[in-house]
Amino acid sequence: MGAPVHNLASSAQKSLAEGGLSAKRHRRHLFSNTLSRYYFLFSILALCVVLGLVIVFIGKTALLLFANISPLDFFFSFNWSPEEDAFGAAAFIVNTLSLTALTLLIAVPISVGMAVLCAEIAPKWMKSFIRPVLDLLVGIPSIVYGYLGLTVLLPFLRRVSGEGLGDGLLAAALVLALMVLPTICRISDDAIVAVPRKYRDAAYALGSTRLQVIMRVVLPAANRGIISAVILGMTRAIGETMAVVMVIGNTPQLAKTLFTPSSVLTSNIVMQISNVEFDSTWNYALHMMAFLLLLISFVLILIIRVLGRKRRDAA
């Protein structure tokens, strides 16, 4: 009788001990989960606060500009002569849009073509080579691209075109196209790969060739992802500074030709912001240029979010 009672007591003690350990483990997991939740919540709130402060600071400083000059003079005048109190930014705005359009005109066909090659045509060994190379190109600092443009591209353009300098929109667009090409290509590649296989099989079953499947089935099905890739490339092209500064010429004038030394919003800001007083109309004008870039980026990101939501709804 004694042995069974003793065994029952030992089992009960063991069960209580295991129950105590289980309760401690549960409390520890509950504490870690709660701590992680509050940490992530704090991180998100801190990010929102920092972003809000940036927007408020830049926007508040930028709006001070219109106490001294009218919005029409700033947005529609081509006369940028701060020494004469002329702060027309139309030339920089037009140059920025022209440079972005020329960059995308060069980069998008090549990027989408390379994405189609990687996703649909290339053999496995070629894909395993091209994709890591593109990922490596994404991580190269922009000043490296600018230095290559300054030392290699500009002398080449001078020899080919016969121009004295070679600076201008064409040089900047070629450098930016090389920079945004990996981003557009990799995101477009992922969008094409995500197209369901059954779409291709159905097209082949109807007698379509590979080119017809790619052009009429795969690319239309991946169009939202490709558009998102193009918009991301556009945001980088619009906001790029150092590479553009090194090859565009940095002259505050409207670019009438591809080889006219000119300036865009980002290059004008970085070249002049360190030489002006904070409480001056000149500084407010530069902040307004930065605020314009910020608004453009927000609009493009909003478009990407809308396209992504539509793609999920369609799926």
Side-chain angles (χ1 to χ4, degrees):
M1 292 293 293
V5 172
H6 177 72
N7 291 335
L8 288 174
S10 299
S11 299
Q13 292 176 355
K14 186 176 181 180
S15 299
L16 289 174
E18 292 177 351
L21 291 175
S22 178
K24 291 180 179 179
R25 189 180 300 112
H26 175 72
R27 287 193 296 270
R28 186 167 61 250
H29 289 170
L30 182 62
F31 174 76
S32 62
N33 290 338
T34 303
L35 184 63
S36 300
R37 183 169 62 252
Y38 283 115
Y39 171 75
F40 294 136
L41 179 61
F42 172 78
S43 300
I44 294 173
L45 291 177
L47 178 61
C48 293
V49 169
V50 172
L51 181 59
L53 291 175
V54 170
I55 296 173
V56 169
F57 172 76
I58 296 179
K60 182 179 179 181
T61 307
L63 292 176
L64 294 175
L65 171 69
F66 299 134
N68 301 318
I69 66 171
S70 68
L72 291 177
D73 290 337
F74 179 78
F75 290 108
F76 296 102
S77 173
F78 290 87
N79 183 17
W80 178 265
S81 301
E83 298 82 1
E84 302 174 0
D85 292 331
F87 299 96
F92 305 117
I93 297 173
V94 173
N95 289 342
T96 300
L97 297 178
S98 301
L99 176 60
T100 303
L102 183 59
T103 300
L104 295 181
L105 184 64
I106 298 171
V108 171
I110 300 175
S111 302
V112 176
M114 291 182 63
V116 171
L117 174 65
C118 290
E120 298 292 322
I121 300 174
K124 188 175 181 180
W125 65 267
M126 186 179 293
K127 296 178 183 178
S128 62
F129 171 76
I130 295 177
R131 286 169 175 165
V133 170
L134 292 174
D135 293 336
L136 179 63
L137 291 175
V138 172
I140 296 178
S142 60
I143 195 170
V144 175
Y145 288 104
Y147 182 74
L148 291 175
L150 182 65
T151 58
V152 177
L153 179 61
L154 290 186
F156 173 76
L157 291 178
R158 283 196 291 266
R159 289 195 301 270
V160 171
S161 65
E163 297 288 335
L165 295 175
D167 297 340
L169 290 184
L170 181 59
L174 290 173
V175 172
L176 287 180
L178 182 60
M179 293 178 62
V180 304
L181 187 147
T183 300
I184 300 176
C185 181
R186 289 296 286 125
I187 299 176
S188 299
D189 182 11
D190 293 338
I192 294 172
V193 170
V195 175
R197 182 66 192 178
K198 60 183 179 181
Y199 292 0
R200 300 173 176 85
D201 294 339
Y204 284 127
L206 293 174
S208 301
T209 64
R210 173 181 281 186
L211 181 61
Q212 290 173 331
V213 171
I214 293 173
M215 299 301 296
R216 299 181 181 180
V217 177
V218 175
L219 290 181
N223 61 352
R224 287 195 176 95
I226 295 174
I227 293 173
S228 298
V230 172
I231 293 175
L232 283 175
M234 188 186 303
T235 57
R236 184 171 188 186
I238 290 176
E240 182 53 48
T241 303
M242 290 309 302
V244 175
V245 167
M246 299 177 74
V247 296
I248 200 170
N250 304 306
T251 303
Q253 62 181 350
L254 182 66
K256 297 180 180 180
T257 69
L258 294 179
F259 296 97
T260 301
S262 56
S263 186
V264 293
L265 290 172
T266 53
S267 63
N268 188 63
I269 293 171
V270 75
M271 293 297 293
Q272 299 187 9
I273 193 65
S274 61
N275 300 322
V276 301
E277 297 180 0
F278 183 80
D279 294 324
S280 63
T281 305
W282 192 347
N283 180 68
Y284 300 154
L286 296 178
H287 274 76
M288 178 54 69
M289 292 181 183
F291 192 60
L292 283 177
L293 293 171
L294 191 61
L295 292 179
I296 293 172
S297 299
F298 279 162
V299 170
L300 294 177
I301 292 172
L302 181 62
I303 293 174
I304 292 175
R305 299 293 295 178
V306 171
L307 290 174
R309 188 177 298 110
K310 288 182 178 179
R311 184 170 54 185
R312 288 193 297 268
D313 294 341

